[in-house]
Amino acid sequence: MHNIYKAIWAIRAAIYNLLFGSFKVPGYLGRPIFLLGASKIFIAERVRILPGIRIEVHGEGRLEIRRNVRIGQNVHITCASELVIDEGTIVTGNVVITDIDHEYRDVEKSVIDQPFLNARTRIGRNCFIGAGACIQAGTALGDGCIVGANSVVRGHFPAHSVVVGVPARVVKRFNRDSGVWERAGSNGIAGD
């Protein structure tokens, strides 16, 4: 039975490699719910994506998922500029990651009829994104950031930070000199 699954995965990988900008093997992409702009999706080797993903790449957007990334079930990724998930990152289930905001200034129009507002989003190397988190447009997570479950994240966060809450803020930082995680002060800086 295990060999049947491997054969199915290999056939899917060959199809995805034809449809996507690139799909490297070894890798796994479970049955997606929806794919838009597949030719602008670039997936490196050793990426594992569980079933239920929804990926939308609009206009001139580009999604790059670098090597050795793990993505859980029911994740929704949308982009219209450049969105990068760097190597070694784990994205758990029910997460939203986007580089798109919706314009809403014209009160005479529905939000759906107003243009996208794009802001580059980047998730650094070896990050961990907890279940249900929302990574909003314009966010930059430094390498090794930990995002708590159900956090709503917007902004730039330094490497090796623990980011939690609605809106998310830094609550801990890793101190390389002492080798320990330290609580962040009221302004989000470790040791304040």
Side-chain angles (χ1 to χ4, degrees), residues 29-158:
L29 173 57
R31 183 181 298 225
I33 290 175
F34 183 75
L35 294 173
L36 175 72
S39 66
K40 301 171 203 166
I41 300 170
F42 298 84
I43 298 178
E45 64 274 358
R46 297 184 60 215
V47 170
R48 305 286 189 270
I49 301 174
L50 294 180
I53 194 154
R54 178 182 177 113
I55 300 175
E56 301 172 42
V57 182
H58 297 272
E60 298 302 312
R62 176 186 169 96
L63 172 63
E64 184 177 348
I65 302 174
R66 296 189 176 153
R67 64 185 308 277
N68 201 30
V69 168
R70 304 291 190 263
I71 297 178
Q73 291 180 316
N74 304 320
V75 170
H76 188 175
I77 300 172
T78 61
C79 71
S81 59
E82 182 183 32
L83 195 152
V84 174
I85 302 172
D86 215 335
E87 63 183 58
T89 288
I90 298 172
V91 178
T92 60
N94 302 307
V95 168
V96 173
I97 303 171
T98 187
D99 69 3
I100 299 171
D101 276 328
H102 292 274
E103 180 63 78
Y104 59 89
R105 286 183 283 188
D106 186 343
V107 296
E108 300 302 319
K109 284 185 179 178
S110 168
V111 171
I112 196 104
D113 293 327
Q114 297 185 53
F116 288 149
L117 302 173
N118 306 329
R120 187 173 187 260
T121 297
R122 184 179 188 285
I123 297 173
R125 293 181 312 119
N126 302 322
C127 290
F128 178 88
I129 313 298
C134 179
I135 310 300
Q136 295 184 315
T139 296
L141 294 175
D143 293 345
C145 280
I146 308 298
V147 175
N150 297 314
S151 295
V152 177
V153 183
R154 182 188 300 270
H156 291 234
F157 297 90

Side-chain angles (χ1 to χ4, degrees), residues 139-178:
T139 296
L141 294 175
D143 293 345
C145 280
I146 308 298
V147 175
N150 297 314
S151 295
V152 177
V153 183
R154 182 188 300 270
H156 291 234
F157 297 90
H160 308 292
S161 297
V162 176
V163 180
V164 300
V166 179
R169 65 182 184 84
V170 175
V171 295
K172 287 186 179 181
R173 298 272 320 272
F174 185 74
N175 182 326
R176 288 200 178 274
D177 295 332
S178 66

